[in-house]
Amino acid sequence: MADLARSMSDETDLESSLERLTAAAVELIPGADTAGILMVTGPSEFESHAATSELTRRVDKIQAELGEGPCVDAALEAEMTHTADLRSEPRWPRFSAAAVEAGVLSMLSFRLFTHGDESGALNLFAAEPGSFDAESMHVGGVLAAHAAIAVLSSRKELQFKSALASRDLIGQAKGMLMERFAVRAEQAFQMIVRLSQETNTPVSVIAARIVEAGPGRN
């Protein structure tokens, strides 16, 4: 577990971090044959990440198409979802039948995070019934915490980079307006804000349009 944490901290790419984590999940969690991460990016929008097998991708696709299943429940509602035998599982009748046909009988899912319309779950699959025990749930919960940290850190980094890019664009736009209309920086910014309010358009979008238009066309 310590080796996994160190290896993930060295990764700069989110997908690579998640691939390390799901591979570790199969190795460390008793009963797990395959693993993956399902992201819910919007209403009825699902993405399969870091699948350790084609079976994981197939089961994720089934859940996305049907809109039901333990991974969906874990991503959207429950902290953890466990089913010992899909052949007798009443909660998701359509998914259960399709998953059994695909070759999955046991599943264990952990919610990673929920933020607005986005959420995610770490999912474990087994070909035999009753594959997951208390130790599986304990180790899976620890790995899910690692995955959640990786995803949320990546989101914050993207937001930070986006904020820096917006700030740079606004600075460029202000400079162009200052030169074009011989005004001070504060006045140039107020011009951008007024355009934003009058057109109901974000300040960053107004700034991007000014920069794109170029000198003399503002």
Side-chain angles (χ1 to χ4, degrees), residues 190-204 206:
Q190 288 303 319
M191 292 170 69
I192 296 173
V193 171
R194 188 164 62 250
L195 280 172
S196 171
Q197 293 171 341
E198 290 174 353
T199 60
N200 195 28
T201 305
V203 167
S204 59
I206 294 294

Side-chain angles (χ1 to χ4, degrees), residues 73-86:
D73 280 9
L76 298 176
E77 300 173 6
E79 292 285 341
M80 183 187 76
T81 306
H82 174 234
T83 179
D85 194 339
L86 285 166

Side-chain angles (χ1 to χ4, degrees), residues 96-119:
S96 296
V100 169
E101 185 177 353
V104 173
L105 293 184
S106 302
M107 290 185 62
L108 182 59
S109 301
F110 300 88
R111 186 171 65 190
L112 300 184
F113 71 99
T114 300
H115 182 69
D117 289 335
E118 289 190 303
S119 57

Side-chain angles (χ1 to χ4, degrees), residues 11 29 37 49 51 61 72 84 97 106 120 127 130 148 150 169 182 194 199 212-213:
E11 292 286 357
I29 297 175
I37 290 175
H49 292 267
K61 184 178 180 182
V72 175
S106 302
L169 273 175
R194 188 164 62 250
T199 60
E212 184 180 355

Side-chain angles (χ1 to χ4, degrees), residues 104-198:
V104 173
L105 293 184
S106 302
M107 290 185 62
L108 182 59
S109 301
F110 300 88
R111 186 171 65 190
L112 300 184
F113 71 99
T114 300
H115 182 69
D117 289 335
E118 289 190 303
S119 57
L122 169 65
N123 307 301
L124 311 168
F125 309 84
E128 297 297 325
S131 293
F132 301 111
D133 57 16
E135 184 181 355
S136 305
M137 296 175 192
H138 175 70
V139 177
V142 174
L143 288 176
H146 281 290
I149 291 169
V151 173
L152 293 175
S153 295
S154 175
R155 293 287 187 272
K156 288 181 180 179
E157 183 179 0
L158 287 174
Q159 291 170 356
F160 179 68
K161 289 180 178 179
S162 177
L164 283 180
S166 296
R167 189 185 68 177
D168 289 345
L169 273 175
I170 293 170
Q172 292 179 53
K174 281 169 53 180
M176 294 171 70
L177 292 177
M178 289 168 65
E179 182 178 357
R180 176 74 173 83
F181 297 104
V183 295
R184 297 190 303 274
E186 183 179 343
Q187 292 173 303
F189 181 68
Q190 288 303 319
M191 292 170 69
I192 296 173
V193 171
R194 188 164 62 250
L195 280 172
S196 171
Q197 293 171 341
E198 290 174 353

